[in-house]
Amino acid sequence: MKLFEMNHVQKSFHNNTLHVLKDINISVNEGEVVAIIGPSGSGKSTLLRCATLLETMDGGDLIYMDQYAARNDENGNSVYGDKAQLKKVRSCFGLVFQNFNLFPHYSVLKNLTDAQTLVLGRSKEDATKRAMELLEKMGLASKAGAYPCELSGGQQQRVAIARALAMDPQILFFDEPTSALDPELTGEILKVIRQLAEENMTMVIVTHEMSFARDVADRVIFMDGGVIVEQGDPKEVINNPKEERTRQFLSRFSNN
């Protein structure tokens, strides 16, 4: 089943002088893990921000589980759904940022329970139960009463992943989830994502961890200059890229 789709997506900045996304087409099936790789400035993060409604597309369709968040009009402009439609769409996905984005003045537990009670309408008791299950899964049950400043970067990112999962999303987006972490902490986050992949969580991961993308993803998309240059089986794309631009990019990574 197709969970997520973007068709003919266009996005520009600075009064249309900077074209960041040029006719992007992407779809993700249930249970699939898709890794998006590419150099800085290639449009990866903008793609994710458009997918999660943090940026508005100039043109193109955005669809979650057959529900249109936005669709192209006859002039090729994206027209977004109403508030109720967008609320429904937002419940389909979760997003984990590279800089954690936890509420610093909330305890770990409150970071996980607030949105559950406010957005999903769960009772405090049910929200707490779900939060503690997830903190247990992340190895952080003992940190429920701690504040983000008392945690390592890796612990903060695991809390951020737990917070996203607490909303029961159908698909989870990660924007460079390890880029703010040192190599030792990177490993613990990649282990969590690997575990989610084994549990068939549908994920789209913007990453610069090439060996991780090759080993965990079902499909790799290489972007450059606002277009999808190449995509396919991770081992094929990363070990035997067909496009010269992909080869140039990957030649900088010694672990391939």
mmCIF file of all heavy atoms in Angstrom, residues 42 45 61 104 117 167 177 204 206 208 212 224 231 238:
data_model
loop_
_atom_site.group_PDB
_atom_site.id
_atom_site.type_symbol
_atom_site.label_atom_id
_atom_site.label_comp_id
_atom_site.label_asym_id
_atom_site.label_seq_id
_atom_site.Cartn_x
_atom_site.Cartn_y
_atom_site.Cartn_z
ATOM 1 N N SER A 42 21.440 20.208 -1.933
ATOM 2 C CA SER A 42 20.840 19.462 -3.048
ATOM 3 C C SER A 42 19.310 19.463 -2.999
ATOM 4 O O SER A 42 18.652 19.047 -3.944
ATOM 5 C CB SER A 42 21.347 18.013 -3.048
ATOM 6 O OG SER A 42 21.024 17.373 -1.828
ATOM 7 N N SER A 45 16.691 18.465 2.573
ATOM 8 C CA SER A 45 15.942 18.944 3.733
ATOM 9 C C SER A 45 14.700 19.719 3.318
ATOM 10 O O SER A 45 13.662 19.637 3.978
ATOM 11 C CB SER A 45 16.835 19.807 4.624
ATOM 12 O OG SER A 45 17.781 18.989 5.287
ATOM 13 N N ASP A 61 1.702 17.821 -6.122
ATOM 14 C CA ASP A 61 0.746 17.155 -5.234
ATOM 15 C C ASP A 61 1.474 16.587 -4.024
ATOM 16 O O ASP A 61 2.604 16.098 -4.153
ATOM 17 C CB ASP A 61 0.073 15.961 -5.941
ATOM 18 C CG ASP A 61 -0.636 16.340 -7.226
ATOM 19 O OD1 ASP A 61 -1.225 17.436 -7.274
ATOM 20 O OD2 ASP A 61 -0.597 15.537 -8.184
ATOM 21 N N PRO A 104 12.775 22.607 26.259
ATOM 22 C CA PRO A 104 13.792 22.564 27.308
ATOM 23 C C PRO A 104 13.222 22.675 28.718
ATOM 24 O O PRO A 104 13.786 22.155 29.673
ATOM 25 C CB PRO A 104 14.695 23.762 26.987
ATOM 26 C CG PRO A 104 13.883 24.656 26.110
ATOM 27 C CD PRO A 104 12.932 23.774 25.367
ATOM 28 N N THR A 117 -2.044 14.147 24.761
ATOM 29 C CA THR A 117 -3.291 14.589 25.394
ATOM 30 C C THR A 117 -3.942 15.718 24.598
ATOM 31 O O THR A 117 -5.159 15.723 24.408
ATOM 32 C CB THR A 117 -3.051 15.050 26.857
ATOM 33 O OG1 THR A 117 -2.023 16.039 26.868
ATOM 34 C CG2 THR A 117 -2.630 13.880 27.732
ATOM 35 N N MET A 167 2.921 9.509 18.936
ATOM 36 C CA MET A 167 1.746 9.985 18.199
ATOM 37 C C MET A 167 1.231 8.933 17.212
ATOM 38 O O MET A 167 0.333 9.211 16.411
ATOM 39 C CB MET A 167 2.099 11.280 17.455
ATOM 40 C CG MET A 167 2.621 12.388 18.358
ATOM 41 S SD MET A 167 1.437 12.849 19.642
ATOM 42 C CE MET A 167 0.278 13.799 18.664
ATOM 43 N N PRO A 177 19.391 12.687 11.295
ATOM 44 C CA PRO A 177 19.219 12.468 12.741
ATOM 45 C C PRO A 177 20.508 12.339 13.537
ATOM 46 O O PRO A 177 20.480 12.401 14.761
ATOM 47 C CB PRO A 177 18.421 11.161 12.805
ATOM 48 C CG PRO A 177 18.725 10.459 11.518
ATOM 49 C CD PRO A 177 18.890 11.544 10.499
ATOM 50 N N VAL A 204 11.420 7.616 6.085
ATOM 51 C CA VAL A 204 12.189 8.345 5.076
ATOM 52 C C VAL A 204 13.293 9.063 5.843
ATOM 53 O O VAL A 204 13.018 9.862 6.749
ATOM 54 C CB VAL A 204 11.313 9.361 4.320
ATOM 55 C CG1 VAL A 204 12.164 10.171 3.337
ATOM 56 C CG2 VAL A 204 10.179 8.651 3.580
ATOM 57 N N VAL A 206 16.773 11.296 5.665
ATOM 58 C CA VAL A 206 17.833 12.080 5.026
ATOM 59 C C VAL A 206 19.090 11.837 5.852
ATOM 60 O O VAL A 206 19.106 12.083 7.062
ATOM 61 C CB VAL A 206 17.485 13.584 4.993
ATOM 62 C CG1 VAL A 206 18.698 14.403 4.569
ATOM 63 C CG2 VAL A 206 16.319 13.840 4.045
ATOM 64 N N HIS A 208 23.699 11.215 5.906
ATOM 65 C CA HIS A 208 25.011 11.181 5.248
ATOM 66 C C HIS A 208 25.786 9.935 5.697
ATOM 67 O O HIS A 208 26.977 9.814 5.425
ATOM 68 C CB HIS A 208 25.801 12.464 5.552
ATOM 69 C CG HIS A 208 25.983 12.704 7.023
ATOM 70 N ND1 HIS A 208 25.047 13.374 7.778
ATOM 71 C CD2 HIS A 208 26.956 12.341 7.871
ATOM 72 C CE1 HIS A 208 25.460 13.419 9.035
ATOM 73 N NE2 HIS A 208 26.622 12.790 9.114
ATOM 74 N N PHE A 212 25.182 2.927 6.592
ATOM 75 C CA PHE A 212 23.881 2.709 7.227
ATOM 76 C C PHE A 212 22.758 2.690 6.178
ATOM 77 O O PHE A 212 21.909 1.807 6.177
ATOM 78 C CB PHE A 212 23.630 3.829 8.254
ATOM 79 C CG PHE A 212 22.255 3.803 8.858
ATOM 80 C CD1 PHE A 212 21.927 2.856 9.815
ATOM 81 C CD2 PHE A 212 21.296 4.724 8.469
ATOM 82 C CE1 PHE A 212 20.654 2.829 10.385
ATOM 83 C CE2 PHE A 212 20.025 4.707 9.029
ATOM 84 C CZ PHE A 212 19.705 3.753 9.987
ATOM 85 N N ASP A 224 20.651 15.792 -6.258
ATOM 86 C CA ASP A 224 21.640 16.853 -6.464
ATOM 87 C C ASP A 224 20.994 17.942 -7.308
ATOM 88 O O ASP A 224 20.241 17.649 -8.245
ATOM 89 C CB ASP A 224 22.889 16.304 -7.173
ATOM 90 C CG ASP A 224 24.022 17.320 -7.182
ATOM 91 O OD1 ASP A 224 24.114 18.117 -6.226
ATOM 92 O OD2 ASP A 224 24.799 17.329 -8.149
ATOM 93 N N GLN A 231 18.033 6.522 -8.291
ATOM 94 C CA GLN A 231 17.444 5.829 -7.144
ATOM 95 C C GLN A 231 17.339 4.343 -7.446
ATOM 96 O O GLN A 231 17.331 3.929 -8.601
ATOM 97 C CB GLN A 231 16.072 6.408 -6.795
ATOM 98 C CG GLN A 231 14.995 6.233 -7.828
ATOM 99 C CD GLN A 231 13.648 6.745 -7.320
ATOM 100 O OE1 GLN A 231 13.199 6.346 -6.241
ATOM 101 N NE2 GLN A 231 13.012 7.635 -8.075
ATOM 102 N N ILE A 238 24.795 2.570 -4.138
ATOM 103 C CA ILE A 238 25.977 2.985 -3.376
ATOM 104 C C ILE A 238 27.248 2.271 -3.842
ATOM 105 O O ILE A 238 28.318 2.872 -3.926
ATOM 106 C CB ILE A 238 25.729 2.806 -1.859
ATOM 107 C CG1 ILE A 238 24.687 3.846 -1.421
ATOM 108 C CG2 ILE A 238 27.011 2.958 -1.051
ATOM 109 C CD1 ILE A 238 24.204 3.722 -0.002
#
